[in-house]
Amino acid sequence: MQKILITGAAGFIGYHLSRSLLEDGIIVFGVDNLNNYYDTDLKEQRLKRLKSFKNFSFKKIDLIDEKKLNNVFLNFNPSIVIHLAAQAGVRYSIENPKAYLDSNLIGFHNIIEQCRSCKIEKLIYASSSSIYGLNKKIPFSVNDKTDYPVSLYGATKKSNELVAHAYSHLYGLKTIGLRFFTVYGPWGRPDMAYFSFTKKIIEGRKIEVFNHGNMQRDFTYIDDIVDGIRNTIEKDFNFEIFNLGNSKSEDLMTMIRIIEKELNIKANIVFKDMQAGDVFKTYADIKKSNKMLKFKPKVSLQIGLKKTIDWYKSFIR
Ligand SMILES: NC(=O)c1ccc[n+]([C@@H]2O[C@H](COP(=O)([O-])OP(=O)(O)OC[C@H]3O[C@@H](n4cnc5c(N)ncnc54)[C@H](O)[C@@H]3O)[C@@H](O)[C@H]2O)c1
């Protein structure tokens, strides 16, 4: 029976992935520091649901704490580690760079070092579409140059991929990096636009739309991301990087119009200039993921947002 350690298990993607594995009887050990970057109640509520599975264990740990991390690795002895814990968010990194250096650089290194010293079979870790930065070539391919990130967040994720390559090369640790593209869905992140727009529109508050709404994102529904991550678990690669995106770049305004329609409320929009650290467009080329992981996203933005909004309404009731 496989034993999987998932970092960031109380987070949005970590919660859905853990749940999906637990439902199939897989033994999961979750770690998370439950930090207050966004509403900790949401993290606690996700955790409560995971704790109802008898094959789930959890420890509140900060990735910075090498000793506690080492105890988890020694006691649980995972076959695979799926590393999702990180300080997320592009805009927050402008004001709070240290949070990114701690969690995403030192934290990542502590995880990969435990994987090496405890002879873990495979490390699967979250990268991000943010690493494409100033890349102009559309859609973004894993073969494109990613040397020009425009946010510290993107730079830390790029660094993770480089460190993973060195560890795979030097120590034979199998590593798979997954570049996620704007993941959304029920139990999502309050700091992301689809979530905060839904909340504010319901509350009759203004929403701020950057670059005057002239932005495009490859929105990827959470179930497709979970499928994509799960497809990597059985794969045997020494070092690989994949894009996990819907491979459809949608206008930000299309997303807002769908939310308005689902809520049956008109948004009060304040248009603003482009924000530092943001990119104009994201669009995933998923040919490699499709070929090597059989990754095939199924959920349209329309359907995915409807499910997300239905969840949100039941959550706030
Ligand atoms: N959601 C997206 O659109 C998206 C896009 C690209 C990449 N990613 C990456 O995917 C991963 C999961 O993202 P998410 O959307 O679930 O974010 P999330 O913030 O909901 O989850 C991350 C979890 O990690 C935990 N964490 C952060 N720093 C920690 C530390 N030092 N020690 C222990 N736990 C810590 C947080 O408490 C949180 O619960 C992250 O690595 C993120 O950078 C997400």
Side-chain angles (χ1 to χ4, degrees):
M1 174 61 73
Q2 228 159 23
K3 289 164 75 183
I4 302 188
L5 176 69
I6 299 184
T7 71
F12 168 43
I13 301 174
Y15 162 70
H16 283 280
L17 176 68
S18 301
R19 208 187 156 106
S20 159
L21 295 168
L22 292 165
E23 279 167 357
D24 286 346
I26 293 168
I27 302 168
V28 173
F29 196 107
V31 300
D32 200 298
N33 68 355
L34 300 173
N35 69 42
N36 64 0
Y37 166 61
Y38 62 76
D39 187 7
T40 51
D41 183 49
L42 195 54
K43 296 183 182 182
E44 295 284 1
Q45 296 252 23
R46 295 179 186 132
L47 209 48
K48 194 174 122 199
R49 280 155 179 84
L50 294 180
K51 283 180 176 168
S52 68
F53 290 87
K54 63 175 187 336
N55 43 339
F56 180 72
S57 320
F58 177 79
K59 206 150 188 80
K60 184 176 170 185
I61 291 181
D62 196 301
L63 299 178
I64 292 296
D65 195 331
E66 272 180 278
K67 211 169 155 26
K68 284 192 182 150
L69 215 48
N70 183 244
N71 281 336
V72 169
F73 272 76
L74 292 180
N75 294 331
F76 181 60
N77 191 23
S79 43
I80 291 177
V81 175
I82 304 183
H83 176 50
L84 301 173
Q87 179 55 57
V90 168
R91 289 170 193 157
Y92 186 73
S93 68
I94 297 166
E95 303 295 329
N96 300 279
K98 194 167 181 309
Y100 293 76
L101 302 181
D102 288 347
S103 293
N104 302 6
L105 294 185
I106 301 170
F108 182 85
H109 186 258
N110 287 345
I111 288 288
I112 202 165
E113 185 50 22
Q114 289 300 326
C115 289
R116 179 192 71 80
S117 63
C118 297
K119 301 199 175 0
I120 302 300
E121 197 185 303
K122 192 185 300 170
L123 169 66
I124 298 165
Y125 63 95
S127 185
S128 167
S129 61
S130 300
I131 70 147
Y132 287 104
L134 289 178
N135 186 29
K136 293 276 181 293
K137 200 180 128 281
I138 294 291
F140 298 164
S141 155
V142 282
N143 299 320
D144 292 346
K145 225 174 159 174
T146 51
D147 293 339
Y148 304 103
V150 290
S151 65
L152 183 62
Y153 171 67
T156 61
K157 291 290 180 180
K158 171 73 184 175
S159 150
N160 292 170
E161 293 183 357
L162 297 174
V163 171
H165 186 270
Y167 267 70
S168 294
H169 180 75
L170 289 173
Y171 307 115
L173 172 67
K174 292 183 172 37
T175 64
I176 301 176
L178 301 174
R179 296 177 181 168
F180 301 144
F181 283 67
T182 318
V183 191
Y184 72 101
W187 295 99
R189 272 176 32 206
D191 61 316
M192 292 183 69
Y194 72 91
F195 192 118
S196 73
F197 287 176
T198 302
K199 183 173 192 296
K200 286 178 178 161
I201 293 171
I202 290 177
E203 291 169 358
R205 289 156 63 200
K206 291 185 180 118
I207 60 169
E208 291 187 341
V209 175
F210 294 101
N211 204 31
H212 303 271
N214 192 15
M215 271 202 268
Q216 293 174 323
R217 288 289 177 273
D218 196 340
F219 293 103
T220 317
Y221 191 63
I222 183 66
D223 292 2
D224 287 327
I225 289 291
V226 168
D227 285 350
I229 302 172
R230 289 199 58 168
N231 289 358
T232 62
I233 293 175
E234 300 301 332
K235 294 281 185 282
D236 209 23
F237 306 126
N238 286 331
F239 168 87
E240 286 297 345
I241 305 273
F242 294 98
N243 281 340
L244 292 188
N246 196 37
S247 200
K248 203 162 185 275
S249 199
E250 311 255 11
D251 286 330
L252 185 60
M253 292 310 293
T254 304
M255 186 257 273
I256 295 171
R257 297 302 171 224
I258 297 173
I259 297 175
E260 284 179 319
K261 190 167 158 276
E262 286 302 325
L263 294 175
N264 199 18
I265 309 174
K266 187 119 193 70
N268 185 354
I269 302 175
V270 181
F271 289 106
K272 297 253 176 172
D273 290 340
M274 188 76 164
Q275 279 218 321
D278 254 349
V279 294
F280 166 68
K281 181 179 178 114
T282 64
Y283 183 0
D285 175 335
I286 54 169
K287 283 200 271 304
K288 178 180 171 186
S289 323
N290 180 259
K291 190 165 168 221
M292 293 171 70
L293 300 176
K294 305 274 171 280
F295 174 65
K296 260 198 198 121
K298 299 181 194 72
V299 184
S300 68
L301 184 61
Q302 181 90 39
I303 304 272
L305 276 179
K306 183 179 172 359
K307 290 184 180 197
T308 308
I309 289 167
D310 286 348
W311 165 78
Y312 184 77
K313 285 179 181 162
S314 68
F315 182 69
I316 54 166
R317 202 169 285 144

